[in-house]
């Protein structure tokens, strides 16, 4: 049972989290999102914690709709829960460039994305994230995206941030997942599970660098 991924969220009360999910998050969850969430848990077990939780998906959807985003980027896809969330929130002519080195996990979610009728909005690129961003910058260095969501290799968040600042339009949003790292950013290092310490350090450095 070593090296397990903690449950996402910083709420220490499971009862409170359950209440929030049941009263606000689950009632707003699209049926295909629910099916994808359940399929991810069934196949990946504890690793399913890599997907965004339902309440975070609600929040991402709200952000995209409020800013009227049309051209978005997702770095780190896994089975596509946040990807499907974004596709459902975008207008019919909206587009998502989705980047992940693991196509197998993405293909698990593709069935549900197609069932939701939004697969035409997605351009999936199987690639290392930073390499894909560098290729975009070399091809067209002008800002293109309204919104970017990053849920990939935490140790490369700072490098992704540097590149995304050149790819996302002024007034756009760059959203990073896990920046509080299960609440461990405020814990003493010796109290953090050893397998989570490297990412904790990288995320704390990102949080400091991203201040304006």
């Amino acid at each position: 049972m070593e090296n397990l991924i903690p449950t996402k969220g910083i709420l220490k009360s499971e009862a409170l989290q359950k209440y929030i999910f049941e009263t606000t998050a689950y009632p707003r969850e699209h049926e295909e999102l629910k099916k994808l969430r359940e399929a991810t848990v069934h196949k990946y077990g504890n690793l399913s914690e890599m997907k965004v939780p339902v309440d975070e998906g609600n929040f991402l959807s709200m952000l995209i709709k409020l800013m009227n985003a049309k051209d978005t980027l997702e770095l780190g896809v896994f089975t596509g829960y946040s990807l499907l969330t974004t596709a459902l929130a975008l207008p019919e002519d909206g587009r998502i460039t989705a980047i992940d080195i693991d196509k197998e996990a993405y293909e698990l979610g593709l069935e549900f994305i197609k069932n939701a009728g939004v697969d035409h909005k997605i351009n999936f690129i199987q690639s290392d994230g930073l390499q894909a961003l560098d290729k975009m910058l070399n091809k067209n260095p002008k800002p293109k995206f309204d919104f970017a969501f990053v849920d990939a290799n935490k140790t490369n968040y700072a490098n992704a941030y540097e590149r995304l600042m050149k790819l996302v339009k002024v007034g756009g949003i760059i959203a990073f997942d896990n920046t509080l790292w299960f609440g461990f950013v405020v814990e003493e290092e010796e109290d953090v599970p050893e397998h989570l310490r490297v990412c904790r350090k990288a995320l704390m450095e990102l949080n400091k660098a991203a201040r304006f």
Side-chain angles (χ1 to χ4, degrees), residues 48-64:
S48 67
E49 292 293 339
M50 292 195 298
K51 68 170 179 54
V52 302
V54 183
D55 55 341
E56 184 178 343
N58 291 167
F59 179 64
L60 290 173
S61 177
M62 181 182 68
L63 277 180
I64 291 164

Side-chain angles (χ1 to χ4, degrees), residues 122-193:
I122 298 168
N123 173 31
F124 179 81
I125 300 173
Q126 184 179 14
S127 170
D128 170 81
L130 296 182
Q131 290 179 11
L133 296 181
D134 286 337
K135 187 174 181 180
M136 290 180 194
L137 286 168
N138 290 332
K139 184 177 181 181
N140 183 7
K142 295 181 179 179
K144 172 185 178 182
F145 299 102
D146 303 308
F147 180 88
F149 178 63
V150 185
D151 188 8
N153 185 348
K154 315 310 174 196
T155 58
N156 271 329
Y157 266 22
N159 293 320
Y161 174 71
E162 178 184 348
R163 291 158 172 78
L164 289 171
M165 285 295 289
K166 301 173 184 177
L167 288 166
V168 175
K169 299 173 184 177
V170 174
I173 291 177
I174 305 172
F176 286 88
D177 194 29
N178 301 117
T179 54
L180 299 181
W181 202 229
F182 312 107
F184 288 130
V185 291
V186 296
E187 302 288 342
E188 296 297 329
E189 185 171 356
E190 59 266 25
D191 296 328
V192 178

Side-chain angles (χ1 to χ4, degrees), residues 18-187:
K18 182 174 183 289
Y19 176 81
I20 292 171
F21 274 33
E22 291 180 349
T23 59
T24 63
Y26 289 146
R28 293 179 172 87
E29 186 180 32
H30 190 281
E31 183 62 27
E32 293 302 325
L33 282 170
K34 178 183 178 182
K35 292 178 181 177
L36 173 54
R37 172 167 55 84
E38 292 171 345
T40 301
V41 172
H42 178 74
K43 180 169 183 176
Y44 290 97
N46 176 253
L47 289 177
S48 67
E49 292 293 339
M50 292 195 298
K51 68 170 179 54
V52 302
V54 183
D55 55 341
E56 184 178 343
N58 291 167
F59 179 64
L60 290 173
S61 177
M62 181 182 68
L63 277 180
I64 291 164
K65 290 176 180 178
L66 284 173
M67 66 183 299
N68 295 315
K70 290 186 67 176
D71 203 344
T72 71
L73 182 144
E74 181 157 331
L75 191 61
V77 174
F78 190 38
T79 60
Y81 189 93
S82 55
L83 183 62
L84 177 52
T85 296
T86 299
L88 289 166
L90 287 172
E92 184 62 24
D93 59 346
R95 293 293 179 267
I96 312 167
T97 300
I99 304 167
D100 202 303
I101 196 70
D102 182 6
K103 191 174 184 180
E104 180 183 347
Y106 164 71
E107 288 179 340
L108 172 70
L110 188 56
E111 171 191 349
F112 306 98
I113 292 170
K114 289 181 176 179
N115 288 343
V118 292
D119 54 299
H120 64 284
K121 300 180 184 181
I122 298 168
N123 173 31
F124 179 81
I125 300 173
Q126 184 179 14
S127 170
D128 170 81
L130 296 182
Q131 290 179 11
L133 296 181
D134 286 337
K135 187 174 181 180
M136 290 180 194
L137 286 168
N138 290 332
K139 184 177 181 181
N140 183 7
K142 295 181 179 179
K144 172 185 178 182
F145 299 102
D146 303 308
F147 180 88
F149 178 63
V150 185
D151 188 8
N153 185 348
K154 315 310 174 196
T155 58
N156 271 329
Y157 266 22
N159 293 320
Y161 174 71
E162 178 184 348
R163 291 158 172 78
L164 289 171
M165 285 295 289
K166 301 173 184 177
L167 288 166
V168 175
K169 299 173 184 177
V170 174
I173 291 177
I174 305 172
F176 286 88
D177 194 29
N178 301 117
T179 54
L180 299 181
W181 202 229
F182 312 107
F184 288 130
V185 291
V186 296
E187 302 288 342

